[in-house]
Amino acid sequence: MSPLHVRAARETWVLAHGSPLEHFITALVVPALGRSVIVQRDAPASVLDGLVLSGLDAVFLRPSVDLVHGIAHCVRVEDLADAAEERADAAAAHVVSPTRYGAVADVRGLADAAHAAGIPLIVDETWRSPLFGGHPKVLPDALAQGADLTVVRGPTPVLRLGDGPHAELLRPLIDRAVDLAGRASGEVPPAEQPPRSWDHVLDSLEAAVAIRAAVRKEGRFTLVDEGFADMDGVAAAEPLRIAINTRHGGISGHEARRGLAGAGHGVTVEAATETVVAVVLGTEVEPDAERFLAELHALPALPADLTEPLRLSLPEPGPGRLTVREAFFGSDRVVPSAAAVGMVSAATVTAYPPGVPVLLPGEVITAESVAFLTTVARSAGGRIDGAADAGGQSLRVVEEFVDPW
């Protein structure tokens, strides 16, 4: 095992089943370090929940976006460095790596930028497999690249503390938060997560190599993740997540996802856009690469049904007028989208593609944002989450703010 690939955690906390791990990290740990937090704009919803509890102000960083495939990737090092330099009250930075589509951020660069500003780096590693252990065929984990805390969400949330410059300060704060999370759930968290078998991991890695090689050889589809390194903010691709361009083979990613789901090949079809399907190979069950490939190449080619994918750049977000907590607890009302311009959003409104929030609670709604949401909602493969209606024709806005605290 190479120490360059997996850094042993200074301490690991495994919360009781269902405990709101990130709520407590953000609400209890981070406020002890400063008054604002730098957050990847498409971070998990639980991070925003933590901002509601803490009342912290936030600087939201947009990830890079692949406009061709409608995929959001990673935060750029220079963007984090600029935000940290501008906010002297920053407490921490929170990023996601890898993404659901398998893009891995330049965690070393992000950690260096955060540490230069005197703040810790928190990395959400939920989409990384495997988390524990070390092997040359597995990408380095975030702790090995200088991150201070790593988080895995899910039924059993896990938090790992690195041995960096902020460890002594963070450890007692995390202990208190974890203790409160455990008591809130009525369960005692276990001391450690059971290790995963390297046999399963290596089987999955071999299957992933075989799938990639067969996709290249067959030629009908292409591998999107082979171009990840050319995207801003992306350093590598997660080996057990494979992003496949199905449009190249005559079928949309959404149709491919439906066609591959439940086929019994041990490969999970996890996400899709109009052009791409993302699959993940588990480490507990040996995937059947041959069966998956047979199902993939048996998908029907429907070129007449394909729509031109959207290739729109995200609009610049409006200025933050309220904190997330202020927006959450303010009285709100629903107004037509056109009339909402200049008002403050009371909700997170996300456009797919590319899966990045266009509006966040507390931000001023701009005409550009409304136009973007309207365009996506009217497109064949687009959808809007968080608007007051499915078509994005009405939005929830803050009418009046009264701090309940």
Side-chain angles (χ1 to χ4, degrees):
M1 293 186 185
S2 170
L4 297 178
H5 281 75
V6 174
R7 174 72 57 82
R10 184 186 185 100
E11 189 158 345
T12 298
W13 294 266
V14 182
L15 290 190
H17 178 80
S19 296
L21 176 62
E22 286 187 292
H23 296 36
F24 284 95
I25 293 173
T26 307
L28 301 178
V29 175
V30 177
L33 308 177
R35 298 312 309 158
S36 67
V37 61
I38 300 169
V39 182
Q40 185 165 331
R41 193 169 181 86
D42 56 338
S46 58
V47 176
L48 292 184
D49 294 338
L51 291 173
V52 171
L53 294 177
S54 70
L56 284 176
D57 195 4
V59 179
F60 294 103
L61 300 182
R62 290 193 296 178
S64 62
V65 174
D66 179 346
L67 296 179
V68 174
H69 298 109
I71 299 173
H73 289 316
C74 308
V75 166
R76 302 189 308 166
V77 172
E78 51 266 43
D79 291 339
L80 189 152
D82 289 345
E85 183 178 359
E86 293 173 5
R87 294 301 294 261
D89 64 347
H94 186 291
V95 300
V96 177
S97 179
T99 66
R100 177 169 287 193
Y101 287 89
V104 178
D106 179 6
V107 177
R108 171 60 67 186
L110 293 169
D112 288 346
H115 295 163
I119 61 175
L121 178 69
I122 302 171
V123 179
D124 186 309
E125 286 196 300
T126 293
W127 309 120
R128 182 182 186 274
S129 297
L131 178 60
F132 297 107
H135 194 281
K137 292 183 179 180
V138 178
L139 287 174
D141 70 356
L143 291 188
Q145 298 177 81
D148 298 280
L149 296 171
T150 60
V151 176
V152 170
R153 296 169 290 121
T156 306
V158 178
L159 175 64
R160 302 174 75 224
L161 174 65
D163 198 19
H166 301 279
E168 291 299 327
L169 178 61
L170 290 170
R171 181 174 178 173
L173 298 175
I174 298 168
D175 271 335
R176 295 170 199 162
V178 170
D179 179 59
L180 182 57
R183 286 189 285 108
S185 70
E187 302 177 37
V188 178
E192 184 60 84
Q193 186 180 43
R196 290 173 173 166
S197 166
W198 271 112
D199 290 338
H200 292 311
V201 174
L202 295 177
D203 286 344
S204 293
L205 286 168
E206 290 178 3
V209 170
I211 289 172
R212 284 189 165 92
V215 170
R216 292 189 202 99
K217 182 178 179 179
E218 182 75 17
R220 177 183 171 188
F221 304 107
T222 60
L223 297 169
V224 178
D225 51 23
E226 290 189 332
F228 279 179
D230 296 328
M231 296 296 300
D232 284 346
V234 182
E238 160 62 42
L240 294 183
R241 289 181 173 271
I242 306 175
I244 302 171
N245 182 349
T246 59
R247 182 184 176 86
H248 188 272
I251 185 171
S252 75
H254 298 298
E255 288 295 331
R257 183 180 187 178
R258 286 188 282 270
L260 292 170
H265 40 58
V267 178
T268 302
V269 186
E270 194 163 83
T273 70
E274 273 297 300
T275 62
V276 177
V277 65
V279 301
V280 58
L281 283 69
T283 58
E284 300 297 337
V285 177
E286 182 177 358
D288 188 336
E290 289 187 5
R291 182 169 179 178
F292 170 77
L293 288 163
E295 296 284 346
L296 175 68
H297 289 104
L299 291 172
L302 305 169
D305 294 337
L306 292 180
T307 57
E308 187 64 24
L310 288 175
R311 299 185 181 184
L312 298 177
S313 297
L314 282 167
E316 287 293 328
R321 186 71 55 79
L322 300 173
T323 65
V324 173
R325 186 176 81 179
E326 289 170 341
F328 180 86
F329 284 112
S331 60
D332 59 14
R333 62 190 175 99
V334 175
V335 300
S337 296
V341 174
M343 298 180 179
V344 176
S345 178
T348 299
V349 183
T350 303
Y352 295 87
V356 178
V358 176
L359 302 173
L360 285 169
E363 290 182 345
V364 174
I365 300 168
T366 66
E368 292 76 14
S369 294
V370 170
F372 184 90
L373 291 171
T374 300
T375 299
V376 172
R378 290 175 177 174
S379 68
R383 84 172 196 271
I384 305 297
D385 285 352
D389 64 89
Q393 296 304 300
S394 54
L395 298 170
R396 194 170 296 279
V397 300
V398 179
E399 187 169 39
E400 183 181 5
F401 165 67
V402 178
D403 192 338
W405 299 80

